[in-house]
Each structure stands twice: as C-alpha cells, then as structure tokens.
Amino acid sequence: MFKRVIVWFRNDLRVHDHAPLFYASQKAEEVIPVYCFDPRNFGKVNLEIDKTGNHRARFLIESVDNLKNNLVNLGGDLVILQGKPEELLVDIAKKYQVDAIFFSEEVTSEEKKVELNLEGHAWKHGIKTTAYWQSSLYNIQDLPFPVMQTPEVFTQFRKECEKFAKVQPTLPTPKQIKFPNNLNDLGEMPELSTFGLKEPDHSSRSVLVFKGGETEGIRRLQAYFWEKDLLKVYKETRNGLLGSDYSSKFSAWLSMGCLSPRFIYEEVKRYEKERKKNQSTYWLIFELIWRDYFRFICKKHGEKVFQLGGIKNNVDKWSRNENYFWRWANGETGIPFIDANMRELNETGFMSNRGRQNVASFLVNDLGIDWRWGAMYFESQLIDYDVCSNWGNWMYVAGVGNDPRENRYFNIMRQAQNYDRKGDYIRHWIQELAEIPGFDIHQPFELSTSQLKNYKVVLGSTYPHPLVRYKAWI
Ligand SMILES: Cc1cc2nc3c(=O)[nH]c(=O)nc-3n(C[C@H](O)[C@H](O)[C@H](O)COP(=O)(O)OP(=O)(O)OC[C@H]3O[C@@H](n4cnc5c(N)ncnc54)[C@H](O)[C@@H]3O)c2cc1C
C-alpha cells in the first residue's frame, strides 16, 4: 500500500475503464490526479503550421475541464500544470511526499521520450513509476504474437486477434478518490490564447457539435446506439459525407481517451443482445481493430512511420511545391470534391473517412506532394488527431505502409459519383458553386463560360481553375 500516488493523465481523459486511476485508488491512501499541458505540443512546426490547431486545442481544454468535474464528483480533484511533465510531476511528487506515479503507456517517439525522461528523473528521487497499457481494444499483453512480430497485413492481424485474443472487461470506475487536503495549489486551466491560438468560430455547418470530455463522449454513444438506434445500419451508412448520423463520430473522444474502446466494445455486445446483431454491429468492432492495428504497427516500426520512406523504405520522388500544398490545404484546388472536404476540415476540425481518403490520395497521387506534409497538416487540424491512426493511414495512402494492394489511387470523379452523385455535399460546403445543379457541380471546369455565367460562376475569379485534371477521372 502506498501513502500517496500521482495519476498522470495523458490521452486518457476519463474516469471509466482507467487502469492507473483504478489501481491507484486500490493501492494508495491518497491519489493526486494531474494533467500537464506540455508546451512542446503547441507552437509552430514546419511550414509555420500549428502543431495543435485551435479546434483540437479547444476540444482538449473542454476534455480536461470535464475530467476535473468527474474527478470532483468522485471526491477527488485535478491538478493542472503547464510545462514539461517529466520535471513538474517529480517536483510535485517531492513536495507532497508522493511514493509513485502511475500513467498510461503511449506508443510513439515523442510521447515515449517524455515517459523515459520521467522514469529516469523519478527514479533518481526514489519515486516509483508504473506504466499501464490501456489505449487499445486488445491489451498488448493479450496479443497472440509478440508486438514486434505484429503481422504486417491488416487482415492477418485481425484474424489472429479475433481467433486467439480476448477483449478484457472494462475496469470499474473508482467509487471514491481520496485527495490530500493539504494540496491547495491546483493550477489553472489555460485559455487558447495561452498557446497563441484564436478561439475557433462556431460552425453551423459541422456534422456535429463536438464538445470535449468523457460526459459528452458517453452521451454521443448513448444517442448513436440507443436513442437513434443507428448501430444496426452502420455498415451501410459509414461512407457518408453529410450529417451527424452516417458514422459514430466517436473518434475525437477516442483519441483523447474520453471514451475507452473496451467500453464501446461492451456496449456493442449489449446492443447485440438487447437490440440486434448483424454485419453492422460487427463492423464497428472491425473498425476499432483497424485502430489497434495502426497502434501496434507504430509500436513495431518506431520512427519509420514518420519518415519519408515509411515502413517500406520506399523513397519515391516527392514534390515540395508549397503553392500547390497550400491550395490543397486551403480548399482552393478548383476540384470541388477536394475543396469541400478541406473546407470542412478547416472550419470544423472534422472530415469523414471517405473525404480523408480522397484528399490524401489527391495530395500524394495527383499532386505528388510529400505525404508527410499532409499528415502534418491533419495533425494540426483534426479534432480527432491520433498519432498512430493518422500517420498510419497516411503511410497507407502514400504507398509506403504495408498495404498488399500496390495502388491506393482514388479516382476523384468516380468517388464523387459514388458518394455524392447529386452534389449535395459540395453545395453544403462551396457556396459559390451552389447554383450548379446535379452532378455538374463536381466539374464546373467541364461547363461552358455561358453555362457558368447562368450559375454566377466565373472560373479563375469566383472559384479557381482546377490545379490539375486527369483523363483518368472522366
Ligand atoms: C489520411 C487519413 C488520416 C486519418 N487520421 C485519423 C486520425 O488522426 N485519427 C483517427 O481517429 N482516425 C483517423 N483516420 C481514420 C478515420 O478516417 C477516422 O477514424 C473516422 O473517419 C472517424 O470518424 P468516426 O468516428 O465517425 O468513424 P466510424 O466509422 O464510426 O468508426 C469507428 C471508430 O473506428 C476507428 N476507425 C475507423 N476507421 C479507421 C481507420 N481507417 N483507421 C483507424 N481507425 C479507424 C476510429 O476510432 C473510429 O472512431 C484517418 C484516415 C485517413 C484516410
């Protein structure tokens, strides 16, 4: 039994199914939950892009705030710090005679480095550290292969996990958290301006009002599964583009750990028992296995997932045309399907899976631009940015991952035909084209100047000429 334990919260901003919190509440007389805003996660990176953009930063602040409330409801509280966790946590531990620091283990290099520094620093001061694995559906210990032998191909990974591994039950939320009563400096919640960011405008066009925090995440699950009863049609609707209900939208809450994947799994199982079991209910779990797959692949391959050649060491020739890149990023390529998706991302911090695949393929395959620029831009903008899912998916699209299908080329016009035949998605996001009827809205560059005039469009003025055009699209 410990006298005092710090629980360091990272991308696990919840009290349900939380291993460090659960074990601390069992093993320690008093628990000090801490969250640390690390300045290294903010500020500018290459191309003057914000490492964390304002949508995600806002979601993060809301999630930390909600975590604090949920801890207070359990009798605890949350200490909020700003600085390097590896230094500040040890300072607090020394000040309040803490015996151990419990935290959730991460996968990729930046996060690992912080963990290692913390462990080294704490050890020097006689403070124990314990890392718990908890970010995936399948526990790392339960994989039917050593993680360094994770199958390269998703289907093999999935089949082995489904056959030989078991999803562990969720851990109960602690009934009570005993917080030391002599701890009076609880720190302050930062504002977006602390990180040099502006408050994002509220978008009335967003698929959903994404509000950070465990409470909202559970509310979304409750609505999607139980109130709207949508899980049973997920497989048919999941490739949609418009509205709140075509897919679960769990990703933002999953990426900050506001929702535990095992909790979702248990709710799917309950739904299957109480409502319906079909291909759709299975498919949501299937997608969560994709999430696991990228996590374990990133663990296996380390730094490679951030390098140009990726896992394949496939150093093709990539362009670094900044002008083209920014036209892509700003939604000004002159190709409506790309622009609409990028505008949605910039305005709301979210984009559908179908959209992500198309804009990523367009950047790397049609424009030939360094895929890491795209991944970096998504990292900044996505409200649901998850290091493994993002860099893993980008590698995949760029053909430097481990996809056995060589060509991940998406034919933009064919995709538009399949997923937005009437052009409603474009009309929603590109006002200046809104008057063009039907599918024509996807290809204003195919219309004559007089036709365009009827629709109040002047290419090169009200909407850009297309950056590129391929015969293959027609
Ligand atoms: C280029 C690119 C970048 C991406 N970057 C991210 C990212 O940073 N963070 C992120 O969470 N997802 C990422 N994805 C995966 C996927 O697009 C999103 O998870 C999904 O669109 C989120 O919407 P949803 O929660 O409604 O998904 P649903 O369709 O409801 O799926 C349920 C959950 O399954 C998981 N999932 C679904 N598809 C994938 C996938 N392809 N890879 C990994 N997990 C998946 C997610 O956790 C998702 O919340 C990326 C995909 C591409 C092509």
Side-chain angles (χ1 to χ4, degrees), residues 234 247-251 254 287 353 356 384 386 390 393:
Y234 168 72
S247 66
S248 74
K249 313 291 186 305
F250 293 161
S251 54
L254 273 165
E287 294 298 341
N353 184 51
R356 293 180 205 205
D384 63 15
D386 171 301
N390 187 58
N393 270 292

Side-chain angles (χ1 to χ4, degrees), residues 242-264:
L242 269 176
S244 62
D245 294 340
Y246 62 80
S247 66
S248 74
K249 313 291 186 305
F250 293 161
S251 54
W253 291 285
L254 273 165
S255 68
M256 288 193 192
C258 304
L259 278 176
S260 136
R262 296 193 303 206
F263 170 70
I264 299 176

